[in-house]
Amino acid sequence: MIQETQIRINGEKHSFRPGETILDVAGRAGVEIPTLCHDPRLKPAGACRTCLVEVEGQRKLLPACATPATTDMAVVSESERVDRHRKTLLALYATDHPSNREASERGAPDELLDMIENYRAPTDWGAMASVRANRHDDRNPYIHFEPDTCILCARCTRYCDEVEAVSAITLAGRGSETTISTVDGLSLLDTSCEMCGGCIDVCPTGAMGEKMPLTRGDKPERELEKVRSTCNFCGVGCQVDLNVDREADDGAGRIVKVTSPPTGTTTNDGNLCVKGRFAYDFVHHPDRLKVPLVRGADGEFYETSWEDALQKAAAGLQGVSERHGKNGLGFVSSSRCTVEENYLVQKLSRAVFGTNNVHQCAAT
Amino acid sequence: MSDDKRAAIPHGLQEAGGLTDGIARQLSRESGVPEADIYGVGSFFHLLARPSAKIRVCTGLSCVMSGANEVLEAAKKAGLPCEATSCLAGCDLPPAVLRDRRVLPSVSIADVERTGGDWEQLDSSAIAPGEEWRGFVGPERTNPDELALDLLGPDDKSGKSFQRAVELGANGVIEAIESSGLQGRGGAGFPAHIKWRGVQGQSETKRYVVLNADEGEPGTFKDREVMLRRPYLMLEGLAIAAHAIGASEVYLYLRGEFEVPWGIVERAIADVTERGIYGDLQFHMHAGQGAYICGEETALLEALEGKRGMPRLKPPFPVEVGLWGKPTLIHNVETIACVPSIVARGGDWFRELGRAEAGTKLYCISGHVKQPGTYELPLGITLDELLEVAGGVIGKLKAFSPGGASSGFLPASKRDLPLDFKSLGSVGSMLGSSGVVVLNDTVDMKWAALEQLRFFEAESCGQCAPCRIGTRYLREATEDNLDHGAAGGTTARGLAHVADVAWQMNEGSICGLGQAAPLPLTSALQYFPEDFQS
């Protein structure tokens, strides 16, 4: 039996399970506590300081993301002190962050600017020029880093380490010059990076972003329509959100980026791999096969019906079998197939064509 | 990859001559530690991050007031590979200069010019060739029975206080510590016995004792003197602590600039280990790599584990989750050096040595004072009493920092305040590490505040936003070079938002660095507003 106990948030009682943090309980209770460095997949860092709340009996404000709920704890998330904290903290962030939304977002939503607006934080404390260094001359095709917009929440470095176990990027330098870097500032291509793009996905400000939409100058993400789909690059079935610009290509519409659904909502838990996140250009490629093609007597391909195409394929296979024997045939299935599909391919090979020459491309 | 391999990374980078191109990858192949992590560590620490700098001139307040900037200019002119650096714990012999990893006291422009551009030739003419240097220690040793540390006394190598601790047993020792009223002397003044009992009461049986010898608070150099003069006393304190809390391993974290104390402590460890006077207790030495923040206990633990020295969130505290997650007792050098005499003479004896608070205290004094040095005096003396034994002020007293940069500035009118944890805390300052810096009326307090702000900006670890952004903001606001055009055309310039920024840094920062960093500016504004009207 799970032991249930209670804490109070702003005077209201809420039950919690052992191991839950103040933020977990507040989230379930619909109490808004702002966060920037939090991600449920990561160990709490408590570094962005936006989630600090008052806890009765504690002199200092405590980070809701990292403070475990305990029995009879009394938490205050709305008070003059917490409000002053949020306003002054966000005002400080604003002095070290581009105020121009278009420039700072570069396509992705900027949670910091949203938060500064929501909490009506002052934005007139003056501005400091960014002193954060970038990787030198990174020729990788996918991942862009904009140090001016980075707030050092370290979601990307912790994600790369704790979720992907790749550790290609790190916090580097220190103090106000702290930045996100690779070893020796090398291109991501020359590191252990697998280009999963998780750093882009977890970034709250768009400092980590896709190179492709940037170079195309597409619309900001909030103006795109998200269409939920299933990645077809392998059998795992990761859910993806195709971000569609309906007005592009003269109203024909175009997928301009792929994002992962929020963590905790689908089986892939917000994670994607390089193929799922970046390999979507094929969708609009002129060479993409959309209907079956069969080669005519002149050697050219001609469109045909599925029924006809399948019959021609079956006849071809049977012809080989008759001319060269059963083992004249071999079947290779794709790593893009599910396990069920792979099963059917070996069934086709063994039961229909009577050969054990069956393989799958990921089996070697 | 084991914890040990990661822990060895800073040393590996040091051996390789710092973070040069390709070294992180090479160490990664050898250790299995991810190469980006190694790069992150190397780029964090001053002594590793810029391997080409061989000469580092201290730009702490006491050193700058003694011509450090001129020495730095001369070094640049002489073509030495040099840069400015934060406090080198040599404020009593300014200006202090670091040659590779060795602190040279009282370096003059002539010393710099004599090198002929060869940094390895730099030496201080203030010390005889080949001699190890020490600072001045006072007052005169009239009654050793009233001194807990007795820096001028003989360094007892017998280990007899440890024997006494064994007779008393763990609880007896902790009771003595409790009755002594010993407070942590690193800065926080936390009652020592609470930590000891905290570790003792853990269910986990693997525990550690860690020595914090990362002395870096500007104005402070007492731990250096303890290690130079009483290394055996310090080791005995560590052995007693380890015995009391049930630890079999002690880690000593010395700042990397302490090359001379390192050698002395290393020899003492070899001696006590060979003689076996502390049983099979193991001492491990770890060199810091240039980061003031690692004096913060949890940042120190991170550095010991071979990571970037970024403070952890507390709670949990190290007594519960410390080095490699095990219960850990961390003490400053001076605190641990008080332990043997407490065990030998009893807690009441120690308590009676102080005034409102317990024990004697090593006060460091530097700046505009006739005899800078380390003075062991009853805890709770006033600035005037300290000045009296230190020969008095040079010129007319204007202001003083009672406990390093973190304690801000107090005006001359507070000279009769007891220099103890409670009294100084009550006026919004702190005793901190009791690094007293004296400023006379030639000093512009806006300038002095700016020097301290530069220090905190250079030493902020960068982990949390209030400190990372706030330290830089306050420096830029004081210099009045913020861009007020870009952010909506504000008219409020300069120091208009200091109160809010300081409030935020104090409320929002993870550790004491960010919480204390605004204090030099806010206290200077409070007590010396006229120095800001220009």
Side-chain angles (χ1 to χ4, degrees), chain B residues 56 85 135 233 247 259 294 379 400 517:
Chain B
R56 291 180 168 89
T85 196
L233 179 73
E259 190 179 75
C294 291
L379 181 49
F400 65 105

Side-chain angles (χ1 to χ4, degrees), chain B residues 25-54:
Chain B
R25 181 155 288 181
Q26 186 190 322
L27 289 177
S28 173
R29 283 200 197 102
E30 291 163 15
S31 64
V33 177
E35 57 190 19
D37 291 8
I38 298 175
Y39 181 79
V41 169
S43 65
F44 184 85
F45 293 97
H46 284 333
L47 295 178
L48 301 175
R50 289 181 299 281
S52 57
K54 301 296 182 190

Side-chain angles (χ1 to χ4, degrees), chain B residues 387-473:
Chain B
L387 282 169
E388 200 181 316
V389 295
V393 186
I394 298 172
K396 184 168 178 282
L397 180 69
K398 178 174 183 177
F400 65 105
S401 277
S406 302
S407 65
F409 297 107
L410 290 174
S413 60
K414 304 277 186 202
R415 61 198 299 163
D416 54 355
L417 203 65
L419 298 174
D420 64 25
F421 293 104
K422 200 172 169 193
S423 305
L424 290 167
S426 71
V427 295
S429 179
M430 60 178 172
L431 178 62
S433 54
S434 64
V436 180
V437 179
V438 180
L439 307 178
N440 67 18
D441 62 359
T442 64
V443 177
D444 171 46
M445 295 308 293
K446 182 180 175 184
W447 171 83
L450 196 51
E451 292 297 312
Q452 308 295 52
L453 292 173
R454 283 205 187 95
F455 166 77
F456 286 116
E457 185 188 359
E459 297 301 330
S460 166
C461 82
Q463 178 182 207
C464 73
C467 178
R468 180 183 68 244
I469 306 172
T471 51
R472 181 169 173 223
Y473 182 89

Side-chain angles (χ1 to χ4, degrees), chain B residues 342-411:
Chain B
I342 291 171
V343 168
R345 294 168 185 256
D348 293 340
W349 169 82
F350 182 84
R351 183 186 283 275
E352 294 301 316
L353 295 177
R355 295 197 183 156
E357 292 174 10
T360 52
K361 181 80 193 74
L362 296 179
Y363 288 97
C364 311
I365 187 163
S366 65
H368 292 136
V369 60
K370 292 206 175 104
Q371 181 55 68
T374 307
Y375 295 86
E376 182 171 4
L377 295 164
L379 181 49
I381 53 140
T382 64
L383 178 71
D384 274 334
E385 290 172 279
L386 179 58
L387 282 169
E388 200 181 316
V389 295
V393 186
I394 298 172
K396 184 168 178 282
L397 180 69
K398 178 174 183 177
F400 65 105
S401 277
S406 302
S407 65
F409 297 107
L410 290 174

Side-chain angles (χ1 to χ4, degrees), chain B residues 310-361:
Chain B
M310 303 194 301
R312 299 175 181 172
L313 301 175
K314 294 189 278 193
F317 290 91
V319 293
E320 193 184 338
V321 182
L323 188 58
W324 292 301
K326 305 296 183 192
T328 302
L329 178 70
I330 308 180
H331 273 311
N332 169 259
V333 171
E334 184 189 353
T335 317
I336 209 77
C338 289
V339 168
S341 59
I342 291 171
V343 168
R345 294 168 185 256
D348 293 340
W349 169 82
F350 182 84
R351 183 186 283 275
E352 294 301 316
L353 295 177
R355 295 197 183 156
E357 292 174 10
T360 52
K361 181 80 193 74

Side-chain angles (χ1 to χ4, degrees), chain A residues 49 60 125 127 129 174 190, chain B residues 25 46 459 472-473 506 508:
Chain A
R49 313 309 279 167
K60 305 295 292 183
W125 287 13
R174 88 174 183 215
D190 299 325
Chain B
R25 181 155 288 181
H46 284 333
E459 297 301 330
R472 181 169 173 223
Y473 182 89
N506 188 44

Side-chain angles (χ1 to χ4, degrees), chain B residues 51-370:
Chain B
S52 57
K54 301 296 182 190
I55 300 293
R56 291 180 168 89
V57 180
C58 173
T59 49
L61 204 48
S62 298
C63 286
V64 170
M65 293 194 304
S66 294
N69 285 333
E70 291 74 16
V71 169
L72 179 60
E73 280 312 306
K76 281 182 188 159
K77 225 164 104 188
L80 299 179
C82 60
E83 64 178 25
T85 196
S86 299
C87 184
L88 293 169
C91 329
D92 50 344
L93 293 159
V97 174
L98 190 70
R99 183 191 69 211
D100 198 12
R101 301 251 168 173
R102 177 172 293 244
V103 177
L104 306 173
S106 308
V107 174
S108 64
I109 293 175
D111 291 336
V112 169
E113 287 170 347
R114 209 175 300 119
T115 60
D118 179 359
W119 68 269
E120 286 179 285
Q121 297 304 316
L122 182 65
D123 234 318
S124 169
S125 49
I127 43 168
E131 231 175 68
E132 303 281 31
W133 64 275
R134 294 170 168 189
F136 180 85
V137 166
E140 241 177 277
R141 186 168 177 258
T142 47
N143 190 356
D145 289 338
E146 289 177 3
L147 299 172
L149 294 116
D150 192 12
L151 294 182
L152 295 170
D155 198 20
D156 185 355
K157 300 176 181 176
S158 69
K160 64 173 188 274
S161 296
F162 177 74
Q163 286 311 317
R164 176 75 187 130
V166 173
E167 289 159 28
L168 284 171
N171 286 326
V173 169
I174 297 177
E175 276 162 28
I177 298 295
E178 182 169 6
S179 69
S180 76
L182 177 65
Q183 296 162 281
R185 268 121 169 87
F190 191 75
H193 72 274
I194 296 179
K195 285 193 192 177
W196 292 45
R197 272 203 221 290
V199 178
Q200 194 194 29
Q202 297 296 319
S203 54
E204 168 66 52
T205 55
K206 180 75 192 169
R207 294 125 187 228
Y208 296 105
V209 172
V210 172
L211 176 77
N212 184 345
D214 193 47
E215 186 169 48
E217 181 68 40
T220 315
F221 39 84
K222 62 190 174 62
D223 295 340
R224 181 200 74 201
E225 286 303 310
V226 173
M227 288 186 282
L228 292 176
R229 294 165 183 274
R230 302 288 317 259
Y232 285 89
L233 179 73
M234 182 184 82
L235 293 182
E236 189 165 30
L238 290 167
I240 293 168
H243 181 259
I245 64 152
S248 57
E249 289 179 86
V250 176
Y251 283 81
L252 298 90
Y253 187 99
L254 274 66
R255 65 179 293 182
E257 298 86 346
F258 276 165
E259 190 179 75
V260 178
W262 176 283
I264 289 170
V265 172
E266 193 175 38
R267 287 194 288 280
I269 288 175
D271 178 43
V272 298
T273 306
E274 193 187 317
R275 287 191 285 135
I277 55 174
Y278 303 133
D280 52 7
L281 183 62
Q282 291 178 51
F283 293 96
H284 307 282
M285 291 180 77
H286 183 103
Q289 303 293 343
Y292 163 74
I293 187 58
C294 291
E296 198 280 343
E297 59 182 6
T298 58
L300 185 150
L301 293 176
E302 290 287 296
L304 264 181
E305 293 180 8
K307 302 173 188 160
R308 292 164 59 81
M310 303 194 301
R312 299 175 181 172
L313 301 175
K314 294 189 278 193
F317 290 91
V319 293
E320 193 184 338
V321 182
L323 188 58
W324 292 301
K326 305 296 183 192
T328 302
L329 178 70
I330 308 180
H331 273 311
N332 169 259
V333 171
E334 184 189 353
T335 317
I336 209 77
C338 289
V339 168
S341 59
I342 291 171
V343 168
R345 294 168 185 256
D348 293 340
W349 169 82
F350 182 84
R351 183 186 283 275
E352 294 301 316
L353 295 177
R355 295 197 183 156
E357 292 174 10
T360 52
K361 181 80 193 74
L362 296 179
Y363 288 97
C364 311
I365 187 163
S366 65
H368 292 136
V369 60
K370 292 206 175 104

